[in-house]
Amino acid sequence: MKEILHEFAEYVALGVNLLAILAIAMGSLQGAIGLSRLLLFHASEDELRPVWLSLARWLVAGLSFQLAADIVETTIAPTWDDIGKLATIAVLRTFLNYFLDKDLDGLREREGREREQALAANEAAVQTSAPPSPRTEA
């Protein structure tokens, strides 16, 4: 029974690692295409930001899958040395994931502030260009 559980855990870990590889590969491919297209046309930082955000999302997904695979692999690690190596990898991936998430949050906040400023500027422009309202005299 123990052997069956170990073999099943190996397949689960392999499948989850495959998902991680696919997520990272998709994000890398999408990022490379988007970045090369924008760089050819001398894009501004504002035009590059969505490409970086998309790549970061894919990386966070890939790291999350890898962390899940590491957790599954700890169930089949035969020695304390293997468990220690897996724990170290899990800690490093967790920190990397945390800082990627933090960067994404910062970029989202910046985009939100810029969007609010643009809306406020548009509203101010509309108010200054609007004709005065007619007054009724009694």
Side-chain angles (χ1 to χ4, degrees):
M1 183 68 172
K2 188 175 180 180
E3 294 83 23
I4 294 171
L5 179 63
H6 281 263
E7 190 169 333
F8 178 70
E10 285 178 19
Y11 284 117
V12 169
L14 185 65
V16 175
N17 270 319
L18 178 63
L19 290 173
I21 291 167
L22 290 173
I24 292 170
M26 289 293 295
S28 298
L29 182 63
Q30 184 182 42
I33 291 169
L35 187 61
S36 61
R37 186 174 348 123
L38 290 172
L39 288 177
L40 285 173
F41 297 108
H42 305 289
S44 69
E45 182 181 327
D46 290 336
E47 293 170 319
L48 290 171
R49 190 175 304 133
V51 175
W52 291 119
L53 279 172
S54 177
L55 175 60
R57 285 185 195 108
W58 282 106
L59 289 176
V60 167
L63 287 169
S64 298
F65 282 125
Q66 285 183 325
L67 184 58
D70 289 342
I71 291 168
V72 171
E73 287 174 355
T74 59
T75 63
I76 57 174
T79 66
W80 283 107
D81 187 47
D82 290 337
I83 292 172
K85 287 177 188 174
L86 287 172
T88 303
I89 292 168
V91 167
L92 290 173
R93 287 182 179 158
T94 301
F95 276 116
L96 186 54
N97 199 358
Y98 169 77
F99 287 111
L100 273 173
D101 273 338
K102 192 173 178 178
D103 285 346
L104 280 173
D105 289 341
L107 285 172
R108 284 187 203 113
E109 287 175 17
R110 183 175 165 187
E111 279 186 341
R113 283 193 307 269
E114 289 173 358
R115 209 173 292 128
E116 287 174 7
Q117 289 172 352
L119 285 173
N122 285 342
E123 287 176 7
V126 167
Q127 288 177 356
T128 58
S129 66
S133 60
R135 294 185 188 174
T136 57
E137 293 187 30

